[in-house]
Amino acid sequence: MSVLECKDLCKNYGHAPALDQVSLAVEPGHIVGLLGPNGSGKTTLIKLANGLLTPTSGEILVCGMRPGKETHACVSYLPERTAIPTWMSTAQLLDFYGDFYADFRRDAAEEMLAHLNIQPRQRIKQMSKGTREKVQLIMVMSRAAKLYLLDEPIGGVDPATRDYILSTIIGNYNPEAAVVISTHLISDVEKVLDEVIFINQGRVVLQSSVDQIREEKGMSVDELFREVFKC
């Protein structure tokens, strides 16, 4: 069964369509890049899958269910902006996630935090922006979820932090789960992707495996992206 499935999915803001007749499926065991220019509908699709928005028409299913209270148990979501409570210490944040999510793997989170030399008493507000982003990602990836939705996980961080974030994603997701990474930094994430979905002006223009793109087009994903979306 697909972890995420869309059938003729539409979402309008007023009269403006953000998503237009989107049909796609994401299977377990895959890391999928949701790629497109700014304003193409990536964040809208992720918010719909997380139950933060409702479709105008069409259907979206997560783990075979419409997004809502039941699907929150199988979706782990990283929003574009850091959303962890800054007044908490690292230890309080671990307790908070442990209380909130039955699938939270505290030992995995503690191991990754120790790797970054983040102390249990350290408060989130005392951390740099890059460290906060790492901490939030560690929390998201420490759940044994079925679907990880990561909205611009490497957007505002330096190249070394990007490498750490990508290795964290690969090393910690449940192999029976799927990861959807929304980004416009293609060359940075390409090495971890199994599949890509190109989206433009609310429409899916391509869904393909990365291997297929390289074999059939003789191009990297980044090169194909630049060709498809050139101004």
Side-chain angles (χ1 to χ4, degrees):
M1 182 178 72
S2 300
V3 184
L4 173 64
E5 190 173 4
C6 303
K7 297 173 188 170
D8 300 324
L9 181 67
C10 297
K11 177 63 183 176
N12 298 343
Y13 296 117
H15 294 298
L19 292 176
D20 185 11
Q21 302 288 323
V22 167
S23 295
L24 58 86
V26 173
E27 303 302 324
H30 290 153
I31 300 180
V32 180
L34 181 63
L35 312 177
N38 290 334
S40 56
K42 302 188 300 293
T43 294
T44 297
L45 180 55
I46 281 182
K47 285 184 172 176
L48 283 162
N50 200 45
L52 296 171
L53 297 171
T54 52
T56 303
S57 64
E59 189 173 41
I60 182 166
L61 298 174
V62 173
C63 304
M65 300 174 280
R66 288 187 176 174
K69 198 172 177 183
E70 296 80 14
T71 60
H72 287 157
C74 63
V75 173
S76 194
Y77 168 55
L78 181 81
E80 192 174 359
R81 291 185 179 83
T82 311
I84 46 179
T86 56
W87 57 268
M88 283 188 177
S89 67
T90 309
Q92 286 171 317
L93 191 63
L94 288 164
D95 291 342
F96 176 71
Y97 265 74
D99 289 343
F100 221 81
Y101 299 109
D103 62 359
F104 183 63
R105 300 171 298 157
R106 186 177 181 126
D107 54 341
E110 286 176 338
E111 191 179 315
M112 287 188 275
L113 290 166
H115 179 73
L116 293 177
N117 296 318
I118 294 171
Q119 305 305 314
R121 291 172 180 240
Q122 191 173 354
R123 295 200 179 276
I124 309 301
K125 64 184 173 188
Q126 296 170 326
M127 299 173 186
S128 68
K129 181 174 182 286
T131 303
R132 284 184 202 180
E133 293 196 6
K134 288 179 191 169
V135 168
Q136 179 162 286
L137 181 81
I138 284 169
M139 295 296 152
V140 167
M141 297 310 297
S142 294
R143 287 184 53 202
K146 291 278 192 297
L147 176 63
Y148 299 88
L149 298 169
L150 312 179
D151 196 356
E152 296 289 355
I154 58 170
V157 295
D158 60 83
T161 301
R162 281 178 200 172
D163 287 343
Y164 176 79
I165 285 173
L166 292 171
S167 64
T168 301
I169 291 167
I170 298 171
N172 290 278
Y173 90 101
N174 169 1
E176 292 167 18
V179 183
V180 175
I181 303 175
S182 161
T183 187
H184 56 275
L185 297 168
I186 319 298
S187 58
D188 291 287
V189 300
E190 181 169 344
K191 62 189 174 190
V192 307
L193 301 178
D194 301 307
E195 273 184 43
V196 294
I197 296 166
F198 283 4
I199 187 168
N200 192 29
Q201 297 180 331
R203 286 178 171 257
V204 172
V205 293
L206 173 82
Q207 181 169 7
S208 173
S209 78
V210 172
D211 289 343
Q212 206 173 354
I213 289 170
R214 291 183 184 137
E215 285 166 20
E216 291 180 8
K217 309 269 189 197
M219 291 179 171
S220 69
V221 173
D222 189 46
E223 287 166 338
L224 181 62
F225 183 88
R226 287 168 193 271
E227 184 172 290
V228 170
F229 294 108
K230 66 185 170 197
C231 297

